[in-house]
Amino acid sequence: MVKLQSSDNQDFDVSKEVASQSVLIKHMLEDVGETEEHAIPLPNVTGPILQKVIEYAQQHKDDPPAQAEEDSKPKSSEDIDDWDRAFMNVDQGTLFEIILAANYLDMKGLLDL
């Protein structure tokens, strides 16, 4: 398990598989190793938004790796599955914060929604 800490000091325990969907966290784990005693601080992500990001990561933990940009075609709204559509059905402020968090955490799948 990996402990993530939001900017408002909320701690979230997630599996390494889920946490590693973020390139930022994956690189941090490679650099310092997996540790449960010290939380990985995420100063640019609030607790409620981190909770949403973790929810997304848990849902998509078994997805194949994202394709290279040259190989992928642009997504249309018809390409988004029902779970993702419901997940992104939030107010504009929350959506903006999710986009910022996905960018900061380097989560291409979430950013591409």
Side-chain angles (χ1 to χ4, degrees):
M1 294 295 275
V2 177
K3 186 180 286 191
L4 305 176
Q5 187 176 64
S6 66
S7 62
D8 48 358
N9 294 321
Q10 293 182 42
D11 290 341
F12 298 89
D13 291 319
V14 297
S15 70
K16 184 176 181 179
E17 179 183 35
V18 170
S20 292
Q21 288 193 42
S22 160
V23 175
L24 174 77
I25 294 171
K26 182 179 179 183
H27 288 191
M28 285 178 161
L29 291 173
E30 289 169 356
D31 290 344
V32 298
E34 188 175 344
T35 177
E36 286 188 41
E37 58 192 55
H38 298 295
I40 295 174
L42 301 172
N44 294 357
V45 186
T46 63
I49 298 302
L50 185 54
Q51 179 73 44
K52 291 285 284 179
V53 169
I54 291 169
E55 181 184 346
Y56 174 87
Q58 288 172 331
Q59 177 69 24
H60 291 280
K61 69 179 183 280
D62 297 323
D63 290 0
Q67 299 177 0
E69 285 189 35
E70 310 86 51
D71 299 338
S72 63
K73 59 180 180 166
K75 280 190 173 182
S76 71
S77 59
E78 289 83 37
D79 295 334
I80 300 173
D81 68 30
D82 292 338
W83 189 92
D84 288 339
R85 191 181 316 280
F87 175 81
M88 297 305 281
N89 189 16
V90 293
D91 65 81
Q92 192 170 4
T94 302
L95 182 60
F96 182 69
E97 287 190 51
I98 290 172
I99 291 168
L100 289 176
N103 187 49
Y104 170 67
L105 295 169
D106 197 356
M107 295 180 70
K108 183 167 174 35
L110 180 54
L111 201 53
D112 286 347
L113 274 183

